[in-house]
Amino acid sequence: MENSDIVISVIFLSQTVVGILGNSFLVYHYLMLYYMGCRLKFTDWILQHLIVANFLTLLCKGIPHTVSAFGLKNFLDDIGCKLIFYLHRIGRGVSISSTCFLSVFQAITLSPSASRWTQLKAKSPSYIASCVYMSWALSFLVNIAFPMYMRARQNNRNITRLRVYDICSTVHHDEVCDIISAVLLSIPDVVFMVLMLWSSGYMVCILYRHKQRMKHIHRSTFSFRSSAEFRATKSILLLVSTFVFFYTISCLFQINMALFHNPTSLWVNMASVVTACFPTVSPFLVISS
């Protein structure tokens, strides 16, 4: 193995181990709360879906690329490539939708009582719960076409029609079909990102107004509740901003890789490292808050 391969393998292994340990700690935490009979917040329920999505991403992205970085390239057959890539796409879709719903729900909860969102406060848990389950179904349906184009590396005989990646390859169509499919698959992600950015901006405005108001109020009967809500809002904003940061970098890598017929292993590995960053970091952001 070359020095660069050793570095990449250590990075993949560290990300996978740290991410699985962090998410496992959150699973243990929620299990203990469940057995103790504690009543969880609705945001905790959304976070549980995010944890499942993190596990799918780490197991389907981190472990195969870790094995590949240690030198074992052709260890997956066609079925393995199809399954690994499909589950990773599902985890990715649920991750962005769960983060979006977490931001939207907190924005509705934080909205002033005199705002137009007052009627939604009581009904928002049932609405968002339905949306979370629908996001799982949407991820299963939208990504159903991906397994049909995945192939194992050892079966790459007609190299002109295959785009070769690190552990698998995809069937390469003409550029028009690739662009159309990429646009259609990006529509749900764009919608979730717009909702996420809108709700985050709305919460930032509320936090700013609250800060300006509190400058003139030294003591208040609702200060404790208000501070607790705003601490939760700041932690969710931190989680959302972290997701947007890593998601944007990942999209830039994916666009760059799509422009080349056979991207280099360096670009593939860097894209995989960035993709696994949020599932690795997010549980520790939740733990710290």
Side-chain angles (χ1 to χ4, degrees):
M1 294 177 61
E2 298 181 358
N3 292 333
S4 59
D5 294 333
I6 297 176
V7 173
I8 290 296
S9 61
V10 171
I11 293 175
F12 276 131
L13 182 61
S14 302
Q15 272 189 319
T16 305
V17 172
V18 172
I20 291 177
L21 288 177
N23 287 279
S24 298
F25 178 81
L26 285 181
V27 172
Y28 170 78
H29 172 70
Y30 284 124
L31 286 176
M32 291 299 296
L33 292 179
Y34 174 77
Y35 286 117
M36 292 172 62
C38 297
R39 184 177 181 181
L40 298 178
K41 298 179 180 179
F42 190 72
T43 51
D44 292 321
W45 181 80
I46 302 177
L47 283 172
Q48 291 173 10
H49 287 265
L50 181 61
I51 293 171
V52 176
N54 288 343
F55 272 117
L56 283 177
T57 303
L58 290 171
L59 294 177
C60 298
K61 198 75 172 179
I63 292 180
H65 282 274
T66 301
V67 174
S68 176
F70 276 103
L72 186 59
K73 300 291 184 181
N74 301 327
F75 63 97
L76 290 176
D77 56 5
D78 286 345
I79 297 178
C81 283
K82 294 176 186 294
L83 183 62
I84 288 295
F85 196 82
Y86 182 52
L87 292 178
H88 166 255
R89 292 288 305 184
I90 292 174
R92 178 181 177 275
V94 174
S95 179
I96 184 174
S97 61
S98 298
T99 309
C100 172
F101 295 140
L102 190 67
S103 179
V104 171
F105 176 77
Q106 189 64 20
I108 296 174
T109 303
L110 198 67
S111 61
S113 300
S115 68
R116 55 187 175 181
W117 303 109
T118 304
Q119 296 180 352
L120 279 177
K121 283 188 177 183
K123 299 180 180 180
S124 59
S126 60
Y127 290 155
I128 294 184
S130 301
C131 291
V132 170
Y133 289 123
M134 287 179 61
S135 69
W136 278 98
L138 181 65
S139 295
F140 276 98
L141 293 175
V142 168
N143 298 300
I144 195 67
F146 275 94
M148 296 188 296
Y149 305 116
M150 298 303 299
R151 301 289 185 274
R153 282 191 52 163
Q154 60 262 35
N155 294 332
N156 297 344
R157 296 175 181 174
N158 188 4
I159 197 67
T160 58
R161 296 188 63 249
L162 291 174
R163 180 180 282 115
V164 181
Y165 294 100
D166 195 31
I167 57 177
C168 297
S169 59
T170 58
V171 177
H172 178 64
H173 300 94
D174 58 279
E175 295 183 358
V176 177
C177 292
D178 289 342
I179 293 174
I180 293 176
S181 61
V183 171
L184 293 177
L185 291 171
S186 300
I187 291 177
D189 291 355
V190 172
V191 173
F192 286 132
M193 286 295 292
V194 170
L195 288 174
M196 196 185 306
L197 294 174
W198 169 82
S199 57
S200 300
Y202 180 71
M203 286 189 288
V204 169
C205 292
I206 294 178
L207 287 174
Y208 177 77
R209 292 173 185 172
H210 176 75
K211 184 178 180 181
Q212 295 297 113
R213 236 182 354 253
M214 292 304 292
K215 287 182 179 179
H216 308 286
I217 302 176
H218 300 286
R219 197 168 184 178
S220 177
T221 56
F222 57 89
S223 59
F224 176 78
R225 179 184 175 187
S226 178
S227 62
E229 289 179 352
F230 282 98
R231 282 199 304 271
T233 303
K234 289 178 181 179
S235 64
I236 291 176
L237 285 174
L238 178 61
L239 190 69
V240 170
S241 59
T242 304
F243 178 87
V244 172
F245 174 74
F246 287 123
Y247 181 81
T248 303
I249 297 178
S250 177
C251 287
L252 293 177
F253 274 110
Q254 295 295 332
I255 293 173
N256 197 354
M257 290 168 55
L259 298 177
F260 298 96
H261 178 62
N262 286 316
T264 62
S265 59
L266 177 62
W267 283 104
V268 175
N269 290 329
M270 291 177 65
S272 300
V273 167
V274 173
T275 301
C277 280
F278 180 75
T280 304
V281 174
S282 60
F284 297 98
L285 296 178
V286 176
I287 293 170
S288 64
S289 61

